[in-house]
Amino acid sequence: MRRNSLIILISLVVASLMLGGCTSAPSSTTTASTQTTTTATPTQTPTQTQTPTQSPSITPTETTPPPAITGLLANNAYDGKLNLWWDMSMAEDFDHYNVYINTAEITNVTGMQPVFQIKDIATCGYQATGLEDGTSYYLTITAVDKSGNEDTHVSSVSAMPIQMTRGTIDPDLAVDVYQSDMAWAGTTLLADNHNTASPRIIEVNMLGEVVWQYMVPQNLGGVSDVELLPNNNILFSVRGGVYEIDRNGEVAWQYLTSKISHDADRLANGNTIFVFGMNDQKNDAQVTEVNPTGEIVWQWYAKDYFDTPPYNNIYNEGWIHTNAVSRLSNGNTLISLRNFNFVVEVDPEGAVIRTIGEGICSHQHDPEVQPNGNILFANHDNPQRAIELDATTGSIVWEYTILNEKNWPVRDADRLPNGNTLITGTTEIVEVTPQGEVVWRFGLQGVTFSQQDIADLGFYKADRIGTQ
């Protein structure tokens, strides 16, 4: 063991969240002495067992170690806990994972004792507990083969556990599922319109407590889109315009127009882009981009491309009911045409480059391009679903069905850094793993309302604000 390194031996829980095709595994808890000469001794579980720290009994037959572990990701899980995720090892002769934690950066594990060893190759998540809040830790993991070979030259990721910010309990809101070892910890920012007389924007912690709120003036009506800006201000849209407020509720910027609904985004160039879909007519611009001074710098008119059969005579709460827009990294713009049941990508001149999701989309909401080029969106099927679509082949590569009594619509689906998906429905918001396990659920309790004006009811969109 290197004498200049402080090895942190701690209580820990093995998480069952998997990435990259991993399957879930039971959790286990271990305790460890703070002496640097003592290794953690885990309790026995069906899939994860203690591996002796002495040399393997198998005689080595080769000396090539398994490939280095990729996809390392660490995140504060609050109150002395850190979560670690990684991509599953592809080693054919895999024997176990070694987990290392240190208060200094880890680049070589030669002589270091692992704090825990995991026998299940499909386990790709780990939670360390008993850490000191406010202290930065470095975490890494290696794969060891049956001959005892281990790649000792590693990279590590750092994270700092902090205490969870506590808030105010709202009797109308509750979290009834929270698996801290599998969820992407943080606060959740959302539009809350369940009380139509008092629409608001709230930020809740992982326990569902309200840590910040902004009461929207009644004359503005219900809120649809809400997003956190890099300056910590909040951008939100209502049917009378788009507003930027600071954390004290003071208006920092606004653009007033009656031809706006559903979605507004602040672009990297400082401009703001928004859509108009609620009761839009053929002569209306479905997308508008304005600069900070309120000057219109770009607009997109669907009539230039779709005022022909079979699209020209469609009407359902507007001609197209455009409900989402995002600017892509290539400079093009992704637009959700709800009544047409597909998404379009248009170039800077407004020409339609391609349509996406025909035959699969059903009154889709909030399509977002993923790093691999797939499209994730909320789909108004019966029942409601979140769908990830391969935009090249048009095939569904992932989906999650929302089961609720009245089939209240889902309006938002966001992919989180750990591979989970945050899905916002009218009465609840859930975080689910790639395998579809609910690891966080927040929703209304003891609240009933009719479906007569569903556009102004419940939750609309939500964003998870991570701790790292």
Side-chain angles (χ1 to χ4, degrees):
M1 182 178 300
R2 295 182 300 175
R3 296 183 181 180
N4 61 351
S5 295
L6 173 61
I7 308 302
I8 308 299
L9 301 175
I10 56 173
S11 298
L12 45 92
V13 177
V14 177
S16 55
L17 171 65
M18 303 306 128
L19 297 180
C22 299
T23 58
S24 60
S27 295
S28 64
T29 303
T30 69
T31 58
S33 166
T34 57
Q35 299 297 319
T36 59
T37 57
T38 305
T39 57
T41 303
T43 56
Q44 193 73 18
T45 66
T47 60
Q48 298 163 26
T49 59
Q50 178 187 7
T51 299
T53 56
Q54 63 267 21
S55 300
S57 59
I58 299 176
T59 302
T61 57
E62 49 86 20
T63 59
T64 303
I69 296 297
T70 60
L72 282 176
L73 184 66
N75 187 40
N76 164 43
Y78 290 127
D79 304 330
K81 300 187 293 290
L82 291 177
N83 287 339
L84 178 68
W85 291 275
W86 62 90
D87 294 336
M88 186 173 66
S89 173
M90 294 292 106
E92 294 182 358
D93 56 348
F94 173 88
D95 186 74
H96 64 270
Y97 294 112
N98 278 342
V99 182
Y100 298 90
I101 304 178
N102 203 348
T103 53
E105 184 177 4
I106 306 172
T107 59
N108 193 312
V109 298
T110 301
M112 294 180 65
Q113 292 281 11
V115 299
F116 194 55
Q117 297 178 346
I118 303 170
K119 278 287 191 179
D120 187 354
I121 192 173
T123 296
C124 299
Y126 164 90
Q127 183 178 85
T129 67
L131 301 175
E132 183 177 344
D133 287 331
T135 298
S136 291
Y137 295 88
Y138 288 84
L139 303 92
T140 193
I141 187 164
T142 62
V144 182
D145 65 19
K146 296 185 183 303
S147 298
N149 297 311
E150 176 184 34
D151 188 356
T152 60
H153 298 279
V154 299
S155 60
S156 57
V157 290
S158 65
M160 177 188 295
I162 61 174
Q163 290 186 346
M164 183 186 300
T165 300
R166 302 307 299 265
T168 302
I169 296 175
D170 187 316
D172 289 348
L173 308 173
V175 167
D176 63 351
V177 176
Y178 175 33
Q179 298 188 48
S180 70
D181 57 338
M182 301 176 69
W184 183 256
T187 57
T188 303
L189 184 71
L190 65 139
D192 175 22
N193 302 305
H194 82 271
N195 184 346
T196 56
S198 301
R200 60 180 179 167
I201 301 167
I202 59 174
E203 185 176 356
V204 300
N205 63 17
M206 298 300 288
L207 303 177
E209 300 167 343
V210 178
V211 298
W212 179 86
Q213 74 172 358
Y214 170 73
M215 304 304 297
V216 178
Q218 283 190 338
N219 63 305
L220 298 183
V223 182
S224 52
D225 194 19
V226 178
E227 70 175 60
L228 178 70
L229 299 178
N231 62 1
N232 201 36
N233 286 353
I234 307 296
L235 187 76
F236 69 93
S237 62
V238 292
R239 293 189 185 176
V242 56
Y243 293 81
E244 177 186 344
I245 59 171
D246 63 23
R247 287 294 190 161
N248 295 318
E250 300 295 326
V251 176
W253 181 86
Q254 63 183 15
Y255 181 82
L256 305 181
T257 176
S258 61
K259 296 190 175 184
I260 181 175
S261 62
H262 295 87
D263 189 26
D265 290 339
R266 177 64 47 79
L267 302 179
N269 61 6
N271 293 348
T272 301
I273 194 168
F274 58 86
V275 300
F276 176 46
M278 182 60 69
N279 299 319
D280 66 307
Q281 306 301 312
K282 288 186 180 180
N283 289 328
D284 291 321
Q286 278 68 37
V287 181
T288 298
E289 178 183 347
V290 299
N291 64 21
T293 64
E295 177 186 4
I296 295 175
V297 297
W298 188 79
Q299 288 186 303
W300 185 75
Y301 288 84
K303 67 178 182 179
D304 295 338
Y305 306 93
F306 293 106
D307 193 14
T308 58
Y311 309 110
N312 56 331
N313 291 323
I314 293 175
Y315 194 92
N316 181 4
E317 297 179 310
W319 176 35
I320 297 179
H321 201 96
T322 306
N323 60 18
V325 62
S326 58
R327 180 64 44 80
L328 305 179
S329 59
N330 62 5
N332 291 346
T333 303
L334 194 71
I335 308 170
S336 174
L337 310 183
R338 193 202 74 168
N339 286 354
F340 294 174
N341 295 318
F342 57 73
V343 178
V344 294
E345 180 179 347
V346 305
D347 66 18
E349 286 69 45
V352 175
I353 301 302
R354 59 173 177 163
T355 61
I356 304 167
E358 290 185 85
I360 295 177
C361 289
S362 175
H363 281 195
Q364 70 288 337
H365 280 64
D366 199 44
E368 294 182 352
V369 176
Q370 305 305 298
N372 60 4
N374 292 348
I375 308 292
L376 178 69
F377 58 92
N379 212 41
H380 281 347
D381 285 329
N382 189 0
Q384 307 288 312
R385 291 187 295 168
I387 291 175
E388 182 179 348
L389 185 72
D390 185 320
T392 301
T393 65
S395 60
I396 296 174
V397 298
W398 181 87
E399 62 182 295
Y400 179 80
T401 299
I402 301 289
L403 299 175
N404 58 74
E405 182 180 352
K406 293 188 176 181
N407 200 40
W408 296 115
V410 292
R411 298 184 174 111
D412 191 13
D414 297 334
R415 184 61 43 78
L416 301 176
N418 64 350
N420 291 353
T421 304
L422 189 72
I423 305 169
T424 303
T426 304
T427 58
E428 68 178 26
I429 302 171
V430 296
E431 178 183 344
V432 300
T433 68
Q435 293 75 34
E437 180 178 358
V438 176
V439 296
W440 186 78
R441 182 167 59 204
F442 165 82
L444 297 173
Q445 63 173 7
V447 176
T448 59
F449 40 62
S450 68
Q451 205 164 359
Q452 61 184 359
D453 189 9
I454 198 168
D456 291 325
L457 296 177
F459 309 141
Y460 192 84
K461 289 186 180 182
D463 286 331
R464 174 65 52 78
I465 303 172
T467 59
Q468 299 296 119

